[in-house]
mmCIF file of all heavy atoms in Angstrom:
data_model
loop_
_atom_site.group_PDB
_atom_site.id
_atom_site.type_symbol
_atom_site.label_atom_id
_atom_site.label_comp_id
_atom_site.label_asym_id
_atom_site.label_seq_id
_atom_site.Cartn_x
_atom_site.Cartn_y
_atom_site.Cartn_z
ATOM 1 N N PHE A 91 3.628 62.725 -20.221
ATOM 2 C CA PHE A 91 2.709 61.576 -20.009
ATOM 3 C C PHE A 91 3.320 60.227 -19.732
ATOM 4 O O PHE A 91 2.939 59.463 -18.817
ATOM 5 C CB PHE A 91 1.716 61.488 -21.086
ATOM 6 C CG PHE A 91 0.684 62.514 -21.094
ATOM 7 C CD1 PHE A 91 0.674 63.665 -20.198
ATOM 8 C CD2 PHE A 91 -0.451 62.558 -22.159
ATOM 9 C CE1 PHE A 91 -0.282 64.664 -20.207
ATOM 10 C CE2 PHE A 91 -1.430 63.439 -21.970
ATOM 11 C CZ PHE A 91 -1.350 64.651 -21.167
ATOM 12 N N VAL A 92 4.365 59.938 -20.547
ATOM 13 C CA VAL A 92 5.159 58.666 -20.399
ATOM 14 C C VAL A 92 5.764 58.562 -18.906
ATOM 15 O O VAL A 92 5.718 57.700 -18.111
ATOM 16 C CB VAL A 92 6.148 58.496 -21.533
ATOM 17 C CG1 VAL A 92 7.046 57.341 -21.191
ATOM 18 C CG2 VAL A 92 5.465 58.244 -22.785
ATOM 19 N N VAL A 93 6.415 59.733 -18.518
ATOM 20 C CA VAL A 93 7.159 59.900 -17.222
ATOM 21 C C VAL A 93 6.155 59.650 -16.119
ATOM 22 O O VAL A 93 6.305 58.983 -15.173
ATOM 23 C CB VAL A 93 7.984 61.096 -17.049
ATOM 24 C CG1 VAL A 93 8.400 61.236 -15.696
ATOM 25 C CG2 VAL A 93 9.156 61.052 -17.997
ATOM 26 N N GLN A 94 4.997 60.419 -16.310
ATOM 27 C CA GLN A 94 3.953 60.258 -15.123
ATOM 28 C C GLN A 94 3.403 58.880 -15.042
ATOM 29 O O GLN A 94 3.028 58.340 -14.015
ATOM 30 C CB GLN A 94 2.815 61.324 -15.358
ATOM 31 C CG GLN A 94 3.284 62.806 -15.374
ATOM 32 C CD GLN A 94 3.775 63.269 -14.011
ATOM 33 O OE1 GLN A 94 3.560 62.600 -12.965
ATOM 34 N NE2 GLN A 94 4.700 64.207 -13.966
ATOM 35 N N THR A 95 3.335 58.102 -16.199
ATOM 36 C CA THR A 95 2.710 56.773 -16.222
ATOM 37 C C THR A 95 3.790 55.918 -15.423
ATOM 38 O O THR A 95 3.347 54.954 -14.736
ATOM 39 C CB THR A 95 2.617 56.251 -17.692
ATOM 40 O OG1 THR A 95 1.829 57.128 -18.418
ATOM 41 C CG2 THR A 95 2.051 54.884 -17.703
ATOM 42 N N SER A 96 5.058 56.165 -15.469
ATOM 43 C CA SER A 96 5.934 55.357 -14.793
ATOM 44 C C SER A 96 5.726 55.431 -13.200
ATOM 45 O O SER A 96 5.769 54.405 -12.598
ATOM 46 C CB SER A 96 7.404 55.642 -15.134
ATOM 47 O OG SER A 96 7.762 56.922 -14.540
ATOM 48 N N PHE A 97 5.291 56.605 -12.810
ATOM 49 C CA PHE A 97 5.166 56.908 -11.400
ATOM 50 C C PHE A 97 3.773 56.204 -10.944
ATOM 51 O O PHE A 97 3.552 55.747 -9.897
ATOM 52 C CB PHE A 97 5.276 58.262 -10.963
ATOM 53 C CG PHE A 97 6.642 58.833 -10.998
ATOM 54 C CD1 PHE A 97 7.123 59.524 -12.046
ATOM 55 C CD2 PHE A 97 7.563 58.571 -9.879
ATOM 56 C CE1 PHE A 97 8.515 60.080 -12.149
ATOM 57 C CE2 PHE A 97 8.769 59.055 -9.941
ATOM 58 C CZ PHE A 97 9.278 59.654 -11.091
ATOM 59 N N LEU A 98 2.886 56.130 -12.007
ATOM 60 C CA LEU A 98 1.584 55.626 -11.788
ATOM 61 C C LEU A 98 1.819 54.028 -11.391
ATOM 62 O O LEU A 98 1.142 53.412 -10.657
ATOM 63 C CB LEU A 98 0.643 55.716 -12.962
ATOM 64 C CG LEU A 98 -0.653 55.063 -12.921
ATOM 65 C CD1 LEU A 98 -1.592 55.527 -11.832
ATOM 66 C CD2 LEU A 98 -1.478 55.257 -14.299
ATOM 67 N N PHE A 99 2.646 53.455 -12.174
ATOM 68 C CA PHE A 99 2.905 51.954 -12.148
ATOM 69 C C PHE A 99 3.582 51.680 -10.733
ATOM 70 O O PHE A 99 3.381 50.726 -10.109
ATOM 71 C CB PHE A 99 3.807 51.532 -13.148
ATOM 72 C CG PHE A 99 3.087 51.077 -14.399
ATOM 73 C CD1 PHE A 99 3.009 51.848 -15.606
ATOM 74 C CD2 PHE A 99 2.184 49.940 -14.436
ATOM 75 C CE1 PHE A 99 2.343 51.557 -16.628
ATOM 76 C CE2 PHE A 99 1.363 49.611 -15.541
ATOM 77 C CZ PHE A 99 1.478 50.449 -16.699
ATOM 78 N N ILE A 100 4.454 52.721 -10.355
ATOM 79 C CA ILE A 100 5.189 52.567 -8.943
ATOM 80 C C ILE A 100 4.100 52.543 -7.905
ATOM 81 O O ILE A 100 4.106 51.644 -6.966
ATOM 82 C CB ILE A 100 6.106 53.702 -8.750
ATOM 83 C CG1 ILE A 100 7.304 53.504 -9.759
ATOM 84 C CG2 ILE A 100 6.692 53.756 -7.281
ATOM 85 C CD1 ILE A 100 8.271 54.622 -9.658
ATOM 86 N N LEU A 101 3.032 53.422 -7.998
ATOM 87 C CA LEU A 101 2.009 53.443 -7.015
ATOM 88 C C LEU A 101 1.122 52.052 -6.980
ATOM 89 O O LEU A 101 0.885 51.569 -5.972
ATOM 90 C CB LEU A 101 1.120 54.589 -7.264
ATOM 91 C CG LEU A 101 -0.193 54.782 -6.341
ATOM 92 C CD1 LEU A 101 0.264 54.999 -4.892
ATOM 93 C CD2 LEU A 101 -1.061 55.890 -6.817
ATOM 94 N N GLN A 102 0.867 51.653 -8.191
ATOM 95 C CA GLN A 102 0.011 50.384 -8.354
ATOM 96 C C GLN A 102 0.909 49.174 -7.757
ATOM 97 O O GLN A 102 0.289 48.306 -7.035
ATOM 98 C CB GLN A 102 -0.290 50.107 -9.767
ATOM 99 C CG GLN A 102 -1.405 50.958 -10.349
ATOM 100 C CD GLN A 102 -1.774 50.647 -11.728
ATOM 101 O OE1 GLN A 102 -0.771 50.649 -12.689
ATOM 102 N NE2 GLN A 102 -3.028 50.377 -11.965
ATOM 103 N N GLY A 103 2.107 49.105 -7.948
ATOM 104 C CA GLY A 103 2.988 48.049 -7.425
ATOM 105 C C GLY A 103 3.009 48.024 -5.881
ATOM 106 O O GLY A 103 2.968 46.971 -5.354
ATOM 107 N N THR A 104 3.042 49.307 -5.308
ATOM 108 C CA THR A 104 3.175 49.475 -3.929
ATOM 109 C C THR A 104 1.856 48.885 -3.330
ATOM 110 O O THR A 104 1.860 48.253 -2.281
ATOM 111 C CB THR A 104 3.352 50.895 -3.576
ATOM 112 O OG1 THR A 104 4.447 51.348 -4.221
ATOM 113 C CG2 THR A 104 3.635 51.011 -2.213
ATOM 114 N N TYR A 105 0.709 49.283 -3.935
ATOM 115 C CA TYR A 105 -0.610 48.677 -3.431
ATOM 116 C C TYR A 105 -0.629 47.184 -3.516
ATOM 117 O O TYR A 105 -1.111 46.476 -2.549
ATOM 118 C CB TYR A 105 -1.680 49.270 -4.348
ATOM 119 C CG TYR A 105 -2.392 50.535 -3.684
ATOM 120 C CD1 TYR A 105 -2.021 51.803 -4.143
ATOM 121 C CD2 TYR A 105 -3.317 50.590 -2.545
ATOM 122 C CE1 TYR A 105 -2.453 52.956 -3.676
ATOM 123 C CE2 TYR A 105 -3.704 51.725 -2.012
ATOM 124 C CZ TYR A 105 -3.387 52.881 -2.555
ATOM 125 O OH TYR A 105 -3.907 54.073 -2.091
ATOM 126 N N ARG A 106 -0.124 46.657 -4.586
ATOM 127 C CA ARG A 106 -0.058 45.188 -4.713
ATOM 128 C C ARG A 106 0.875 44.553 -3.641
ATOM 129 O O ARG A 106 0.564 43.495 -3.080
ATOM 130 C CB ARG A 106 0.538 44.758 -6.072
ATOM 131 C CG ARG A 106 -0.333 45.191 -7.244
ATOM 132 C CD ARG A 106 -1.630 44.364 -7.372
ATOM 133 N NE ARG A 106 -2.405 44.744 -8.491
ATOM 134 C CZ ARG A 106 -3.524 44.106 -8.901
ATOM 135 N NH1 ARG A 106 -4.021 43.106 -8.103
ATOM 136 N NH2 ARG A 106 -4.196 44.589 -9.964
ATOM 137 N N ALA A 107 2.091 45.215 -3.319
ATOM 138 C CA ALA A 107 2.945 44.734 -2.305
ATOM 139 C C ALA A 107 2.353 44.697 -0.988
ATOM 140 O O ALA A 107 2.544 43.918 -0.091
ATOM 141 C CB ALA A 107 4.188 45.601 -2.296
ATOM 142 N N CYS A 108 1.408 45.720 -0.752
ATOM 143 C CA CYS A 108 0.722 45.730 0.535
ATOM 144 C C CYS A 108 -0.567 44.888 0.633
ATOM 145 O O CYS A 108 -1.372 45.061 1.544
ATOM 146 C CB CYS A 108 0.403 47.191 0.917
ATOM 147 S SG CYS A 108 1.836 48.212 1.165
#
Side-chain angles (χ1 to χ4, degrees):
F91 283 5
V92 171
V93 170
Q94 297 298 338
T95 303
S96 72
F97 289 100
L98 173 64
F99 277 110
I100 290 175
L101 179 61
Q102 287 183 304
T104 307
Y105 269 99
R106 297 285 183 178
C108 296

